[in-house]
């Protein structure tokens, strides 16, 4: 892949951009919070809640890529050699199991972070892929506010979406349209105790010109290529009007009255 020259350094605010097309996730409350869904031609940043949630971040990215591109456009997934050593090889079977179309995924391995960022900017400006994924491991000091702004400008100008995956890293300021925290969540078993749909805990940490601090538990359904809100675990229990479930179960088990505990506190 040709390494493009860096854009002029400019850390000022991003210029106004026309309202982008949006992909509706299938979850009404999530789409409403995002102004209609995930914006095309923008940077969306996803932080793993812990190193153990690296697989959840990748799985969520596969679902988003499959949903936002459909069967037509290609997806370019970029990793550095360091990420390859930490995370292992991406499997084509996993891509298809989560709804990705055969032959849609292009995988690029580059030697270092600087080449990773330059390659992503080059791909975004070319508008050749339908979506670009950067998978980064660790702090990535090269990915500062200026570098993220370059990527955001390239995505806005070409209309190509960038998913930026951050594993073993703490959230830092960036020019991303949205910033998320992702963790794996227990799925609901299918009949016969077969594994259920992939399930994620998703927290909206930041959104440019929109609400943040919201969270969802989502299931990914590969056939429809949409998310659904995951059902709450446990049985449904009727509760008398005017009394909370916690108060009722506490009294039945001989536990303290919660109102009294709050008063004592």
């Amino acid at each position: 892949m040709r390494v493009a020259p860096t854009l002029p350094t400019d850390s000022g605010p991003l210029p106004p951009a026309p309202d982008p097309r949006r992909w509706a996730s299938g979850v009404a409350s999530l789409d409403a919070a995002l102004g209609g869904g995930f914006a095309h031609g923008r940077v969306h940043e996803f932080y793993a809640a812990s190193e153990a949630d690296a697989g959840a971040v990748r799985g969520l990215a596969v679902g988003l890529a499959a949903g936002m591109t459909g069967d037509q456009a290609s997806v370019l997934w970029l990793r550095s050699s360091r990420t390859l050593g930490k995370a292992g090889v991406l499997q084509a079977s996993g891509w298809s199991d989560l709804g990705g179309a055969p032959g849609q995924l292009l995988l690029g391995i580059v030697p270092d972070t600087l080449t990773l960022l330059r390659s992503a900017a080059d791909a975004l400006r070319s508008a050749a892929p339908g979506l670009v994924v950067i998978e980064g491991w660790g702090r990535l000091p090269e990915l500062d506010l200026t570098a993220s702004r370059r990527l955001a400008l390239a995505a806005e100008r070409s209309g190509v979406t960038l998913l930026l995956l951050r594993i073993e890293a703490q959230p830092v300021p960036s020019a991303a349209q949205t910033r998320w925290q992702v963790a794996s969540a227990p799925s609901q078993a299918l009949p016969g105790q077969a594994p259920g749909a992939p399930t994620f805990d998703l927290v909206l940490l930041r959104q440019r010109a929109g609400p943040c601090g919201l969270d969802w538990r989502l299931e990914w359904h590969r056939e429809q290529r949409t998310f659904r809100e995951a059902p709450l675990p446990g049985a449904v229990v009727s509760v008398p009007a005017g009394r909370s479930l916690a108060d009722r179960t506490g009294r039945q088990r001989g536990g303290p009255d919660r109102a009294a505990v709050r008063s004592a506190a």
Side-chain angles (χ1 to χ4, degrees):
M1 178 176 291
R2 179 176 62 86
V3 176
T6 58
L7 298 177
T9 300
D10 185 357
S11 57
L14 287 169
D19 192 46
R21 295 185 301 115
R22 295 182 182 272
W23 174 74
S25 70
V27 177
S29 59
L30 174 59
D31 294 335
L34 298 179
F38 283 88
H40 290 273
R42 298 293 185 270
V43 178
H44 301 285
E45 195 171 25
F46 300 88
Y47 283 84
S50 70
E51 184 176 351
D53 296 304
V57 172
R58 294 188 200 99
L60 182 76
V62 172
L64 284 171
M68 295 184 78
T69 61
D71 291 326
Q72 305 304 317
S74 63
V75 174
L76 176 61
W77 194 300
L78 294 170
R79 314 171 93 196
S80 69
S81 300
R82 181 171 186 266
T83 300
L84 181 64
K86 289 276 189 179
V89 178
L90 290 173
Q91 299 291 337
S93 58
W95 171 261
S96 60
D97 285 346
L98 288 170
Q104 184 181 29
L105 179 65
L106 303 174
L107 182 61
I109 307 297
V110 298
D112 53 49
T113 302
L114 190 56
T115 307
L116 182 74
L117 300 178
R118 287 174 173 170
S119 300
D122 189 43
L124 290 170
R125 287 195 296 269
S126 75
L131 184 142
V132 176
V133 179
I134 293 178
E135 184 181 349
W137 197 291
R139 287 183 54 247
L140 303 186
E142 300 89 345
L143 182 54
D144 56 15
L145 187 57
T146 300
S148 74
R149 184 178 184 275
R150 291 171 183 157
L151 294 171
L153 284 171
E156 289 181 6
R157 287 168 180 166
S158 66
V160 178
T161 307
L162 173 63
L163 305 184
L164 182 54
L165 314 186
R166 304 297 310 275
I167 301 165
E168 279 290 276
Q170 295 298 316
V172 295
S174 74
Q177 178 75 21
T178 61
R179 181 183 304 140
W180 306 83
Q181 178 180 278
V182 183
S184 58
S187 62
Q188 296 291 310
L190 299 176
Q193 295 302 305
T199 307
F200 311 92
D201 281 333
L202 199 60
V203 181
L204 179 55
L205 299 176
R206 180 186 177 275
Q207 178 180 195
R208 287 169 55 191
C212 56
L214 307 173
D215 62 271
W216 294 265
R217 176 164 288 185
L218 304 179
E219 287 183 345
W220 172 249
H221 292 264
R222 65 176 185 178
E223 290 81 9
Q224 296 80 22
R225 291 181 178 169
T226 58
F227 292 98
R228 299 177 193 169
E229 287 199 77
L232 294 174
V236 177
V237 180
S238 60
V239 180
R243 184 180 300 177
S244 72
L245 177 60
D247 288 343
R248 183 186 181 197
T249 55
R251 289 192 177 105
Q252 285 177 341
R253 297 172 183 171
D257 178 56
R258 290 189 64 185
V261 171
R262 286 195 296 269
S263 299

